[in-house]
Amino acid sequence: MEHYLPQTIALLTRTPAALNALLRDLPGTWTLQNEGENTWSAFDVVGHLIHGERTDWMPRARMVLHFGETKPFEPFDRLGHMQESQGKSLAQLLDEFTRLRVENLRELRALNLRQEDLERRGRHPALGVVTLSELLATWAAHDLTHLHQISRIMAYQYRQAVGPWSAYLGVLQCAGHSAP
Amino acid sequence: MEHYLPQTIALLTRTPAALNALLRDLPGTWTLQNEGENTWSAFDVVGHLIHGERTDWMPRARMVLHFGETKPFEPFDRLGHMQESQGKSLAQLLDEFTRLRVENLRELRALNLRQEDLERRGRHPALGVVTLSELLATWAAHDLTHLHQISRIMAYQYRQAVGPWSAYLGVLQCAGHSAP
């Protein structure tokens, strides 16, 4: 399957602006509350996205290009953002995510990847052989999985306030489908 | 339960800007494709949100204030947007949604609702007695259910491109939880 990279980059470019428009200066009832013990708030999710920009996507793309299948990626730490986010405001996190994403996309564009580069293979520590194309598509889909999660976390805060309408609101029936 | 209206308005204010930042000028592969027969694209969802601004939220709020429980709301037409959206571009729909939301929030603010107004009751044609507070909370949660849906529809377009990572992407396991 051909990977049309401009389409992936178009989405990756928009996510920081979308989160900024949705979350900046929104009351903490929406952004700082979670779905119960051991779940994340929207604030936590933005921290996780930042951690991905630092340690996941472009570092792994570089690994594929430099080492191919010979060296597995560093495992991604799903709780790696907890310490980094501490003491910061949501506005600071949104700024940081925006800045890192701009830098990473600048680097991605500068690689001038051709179709044959996208077919190059790397090694995921748990999933085994993956292609650069799959890694970059996952970067975009990962933004969407967390936008999906943020909208669910926020809706959860109104699960009682909506009264009988809860039956009609699909997002309130979503229990999540992955570790946070 | 006390309904803190500024919190609801804060979210309702941000949704058009968030959708605009996410969707405007994004390739049609993301915005015009759906999840299969009889499902919606992101374009369709924005049309549905417009139809809600026109015929659902503020018209029903007015019904509660004018008729109380004596007169049921008009049933909401879930396919009502189909004709209205025809021939329009996504950019036009985003502009229309933004404009209608601004107008509706201006009207809502002008009502200067107090806690006792929020407790006033109306009649939903299927759900029975509901309060104005529940209606307004549902307006906000309805934005979130459709942001949840849009992120799922878009992720679906990359369900194959992500390769083995699909196992880790919660949004790809989400089958939706309501009629579109």
Side-chain angles (χ1 to χ4, degrees):
Chain A
M1 199 178 93
E2 188 128 347
H3 185 144
Y4 189 58
L5 196 54
Q7 183 178 305
T8 300
I9 291 178
L11 181 71
L12 290 170
T13 304
R14 280 164 176 75
T15 310
L19 290 180
N20 199 59
L22 182 66
L23 301 176
R24 187 175 293 258
D25 300 327
L26 197 61
T29 333
W30 290 118
T31 58
L32 300 177
Q33 297 201 98
N34 61 23
E35 296 172 286
E37 209 178 341
N38 290 321
T39 65
W40 289 1
S41 64
F43 176 91
D44 296 328
V45 174
V46 179
H48 165 78
L49 290 170
I50 288 172
H51 196 66
E53 294 303 303
R54 285 198 203 288
T55 70
D56 192 336
W57 312 108
M58 283 308 294
R60 287 182 170 188
R62 272 179 241 128
M63 288 282 293
V64 175
L65 295 171
H66 297 163
F67 301 103
E69 298 172 48
T70 62
K71 206 172 156 184
F73 308 146
E74 289 289 319
F76 180 72
D77 181 359
R78 283 208 174 79
L79 298 176
H81 61 279
M82 289 300 184
Q83 215 178 338
E84 283 173 29
S85 298
Q86 238 170 14
K88 292 185 181 156
S89 68
L90 178 56
Q92 284 175 301
L93 294 190
L94 289 165
D95 287 343
E96 200 170 342
F97 177 49
T98 304
R99 185 179 59 74
L100 291 169
R101 178 59 62 89
V102 166
E103 283 173 17
N104 281 329
L105 290 181
R106 190 179 299 138
E107 183 186 347
L108 176 63
R109 282 197 195 87
L111 291 173
N112 280 315
L113 297 172
R114 296 152 305 172
Q115 190 59 35
E116 61 258 41
D117 297 317
L118 292 170
E119 284 158 20
R120 290 177 70 173
R121 290 152 168 246
R123 186 170 298 277
H124 186 283
L127 299 170
V129 173
V130 290
T131 65
L132 182 54
S133 172
E134 287 164 350
L135 174 68
L136 298 175
T138 301
W139 190 2
H142 180 264
D143 278 5
L144 294 169
T145 212
H146 287 294
L147 187 59
H148 186 255
Q149 183 189 17
I150 284 174
S151 56
R152 190 190 70 227
I153 299 166
M154 288 168 60
Y156 181 83
Q157 312 312 323
Y158 267 28
R159 68 197 179 284
Q160 289 169 327
V162 299
W165 266 288
S166 62
Y168 290 175
L169 293 163
V171 68
L172 293 178
Q173 271 71 56
C174 183
H177 313 275
S178 55
Chain B
M1 199 178 91
E2 188 128 346
H3 185 143
Y4 189 58
L5 196 55
Q7 182 179 305
T8 299
I9 292 178
L11 181 72
L12 289 170
T13 304
R14 279 163 177 77
T15 309
L19 290 180
N20 199 59
L22 182 67
L23 300 176
R24 187 175 292 257
D25 300 327
L26 197 61
T29 333
W30 290 119
T31 58
L32 301 178
Q33 297 201 96
N34 61 22
E35 297 171 285
E37 209 179 342
N38 291 320
T39 65
W40 290 0
S41 64
F43 176 91
D44 295 328
V45 175
V46 178
H48 166 78
L49 289 170
I50 289 172
H51 196 65
E53 294 303 304
R54 285 198 203 286
T55 69
D56 192 337
W57 312 108
M58 284 308 294
R60 287 182 170 189
R62 271 178 241 129
M63 289 281 294
V64 175
L65 295 170
H66 297 163
F67 301 103
E69 299 172 48
T70 62
K71 206 173 156 184
F73 308 145
E74 289 290 317
F76 180 73
D77 180 359
R78 285 209 173 77
L79 298 176
H81 61 279
M82 289 301 186
Q83 214 178 338
E84 283 174 29
S85 299
Q86 237 171 13
K88 293 187 181 155
S89 68
L90 179 56
Q92 284 175 302
L93 293 191
L94 289 166
D95 287 343
E96 200 170 343
F97 177 48
T98 304
R99 185 179 59 74
L100 290 168
R101 177 61 59 91
V102 165
E103 282 173 16
N104 281 329
L105 290 181
R106 190 180 298 137
E107 183 186 349
L108 176 63
R109 281 197 196 89
L111 291 173
N112 279 315
L113 298 172
R114 297 152 304 172
Q115 191 59 34
E116 62 257 41
D117 297 317
L118 292 170
E119 285 158 21
R120 291 176 70 172
R121 290 151 168 248
R123 187 170 297 280
H124 185 283
L127 299 171
V129 173
V130 290
T131 66
L132 181 55
S133 173
E134 288 164 349
L135 173 69
L136 298 176
T138 301
W139 190 2
H142 180 264
D143 278 6
L144 293 170
T145 213
H146 287 293
L147 187 59
H148 186 255
Q149 183 190 16
I150 286 174
S151 56
R152 190 189 70 227
I153 300 166
M154 287 168 62
Y156 182 83
Q157 312 312 323
Y158 266 29
R159 67 198 180 283
Q160 288 168 328
V162 300
W165 266 288
S166 62
Y168 291 175
L169 293 163
V171 67
L172 294 177
Q173 271 72 57
C174 183
H177 313 275
S178 55

